[in-house]
Amino acid sequence: MAPRESYGSKPMTSAERVKRARWANKVEDTAFKLLELLNDAPNPLPRSPEIPAELVALLKPYAVECEVEQIKEDIKTVNADRILLLGNGNQHRNKKLAMQFLATFYNAKLVDNKTILTKDYGSCHVSAYTHAKGAMISTPSRDDQTYGDVDWHKNDHIVLFRDVGDGRCIIYVNKIEPLFDKRTIGHHGVTWQDIYDLSVSTKVLSYSEVRSYLGNKTSESNSDKT
């Protein structure tokens, strides 16, 4: 039997509605991934990516600028008292603050912009997180899918600095390799419960305690973003 017409006097079938809804969901998911990738652009770029003008033209009718502006305002309000700020554009700032805090907290040596050397845990890769569900341990489309693929895996531990968003920050110190067997969030992320279960050390601090180590650095960084 020929499929019923989707538009006009005859309504869409259930199967047609599902198919179109899946298409819309896939477009939205791809758009958010592209936005995240663009917000995480390296600096300086070896060359600028070439995006077809046709893509920009096709995306324009679906753009929701008013909603995007509202989201930005909502994030600004939520970020008012946080240590780590929400939003992809704050990743570099969050990582820098985490490095500054952990270097002071552990009386550690800064090796580079992502590694500290501590007395108790040796060389540690540092990551900063605001996600409610868990932490990304590997990254889509990058060569870090298996333990040992990239240099930071050679560190003794990873220190995950998490802003819970409720006035608390949690520091997890973990061996790196066991986390790769616990990636259940989109094949790349590990839940906070699994990270806690695997951690060799977990410390919970209030925002005021974290700020006491950072001085006024968080307030200065927050004002730069508003």
Side-chain angles (χ1 to χ4, degrees), residues 2-226:
R4 197 183 320 179
E5 291 292 332
S6 300
Y7 298 102
S9 59
K10 300 176 182 179
M12 285 187 287
T13 66
S14 297
E16 287 167 338
R17 289 183 182 278
V18 169
K19 182 178 180 180
R20 284 164 172 73
R22 286 177 177 172
W23 177 87
N25 291 339
K26 189 173 182 179
V27 170
E28 290 172 348
D29 183 57
T30 303
F32 279 114
K33 287 179 180 177
L34 177 59
L35 179 62
E36 182 177 1
L37 186 62
L38 292 172
N39 281 330
D40 197 28
N43 185 27
L45 287 169
R47 70 173 183 85
S48 296
E50 297 179 357
I51 298 175
E54 181 185 8
L55 173 61
V56 178
L58 289 172
L59 287 174
K60 190 173 182 180
Y62 301 107
V64 284
E65 295 179 7
C66 59
E67 292 184 19
V68 169
E69 291 304 317
Q70 183 59 52
I71 289 170
K72 288 180 180 178
E73 289 302 314
D74 291 345
I75 287 176
K76 188 185 295 184
T77 301
V78 172
N79 279 340
D81 297 319
R82 296 179 66 106
I83 302 296
L84 303 184
L85 303 184
L86 300 175
N88 290 326
N90 291 308
Q91 290 177 350
H92 176 75
R93 175 250 183 220
N94 289 346
K95 181 68 167 285
K96 183 178 179 180
L97 272 182
M99 289 289 295
Q100 291 172 342
F101 167 77
L102 292 169
T104 304
F105 186 76
Y106 287 115
N107 192 24
K109 177 183 177 182
L110 290 170
V111 178
D112 53 37
N113 62 2
K114 57 185 177 182
T115 313
I116 59 174
L117 184 61
T118 69
K119 178 181 177 182
D120 293 331
Y121 306 109
S123 62
C124 300
H125 179 78
V126 173
S127 292
Y129 299 95
T130 58
H131 198 285
K133 292 184 178 180
M136 294 292 283
I137 301 302
S138 55
T139 309
S141 304
R142 292 188 184 176
D143 298 328
D144 61 354
Q145 307 307 305
T146 305
Y147 176 73
D149 281 347
V150 292
D151 285 343
W152 72 265
H153 295 170
K154 298 176 184 177
N155 288 292
D156 299 307
H157 293 86
I158 179 173
V159 181
L160 304 99
F161 183 86
R162 175 192 178 192
D163 187 331
V164 183
D166 62 357
R168 297 176 299 149
C169 290
I170 305 178
I171 307 165
Y172 306 88
V173 181
N174 284 68
K175 287 288 186 181
I176 299 169
E177 184 175 11
L179 296 174
F180 278 78
D181 293 329
K182 292 292 185 177
R183 291 174 295 176
T184 56
I185 304 175
H187 306 295
H188 299 282
V190 182
T191 66
W192 290 122
Q193 184 61 52
D194 282 337
I195 289 169
Y196 173 78
D197 291 341
L198 293 170
S199 66
V200 298
S201 172
T202 302
K203 295 184 182 297
V204 181
L205 294 91
S206 67
Y207 284 174
S208 60
E209 289 175 299
V210 173
R211 289 193 172 98
S212 70
Y213 284 93
L214 287 169
N216 63 353
K217 291 184 176 63
T218 55
S219 59
E220 290 174 354
S221 297
N222 287 358
S223 63
D224 290 342
K225 292 293 182 182
T226 57

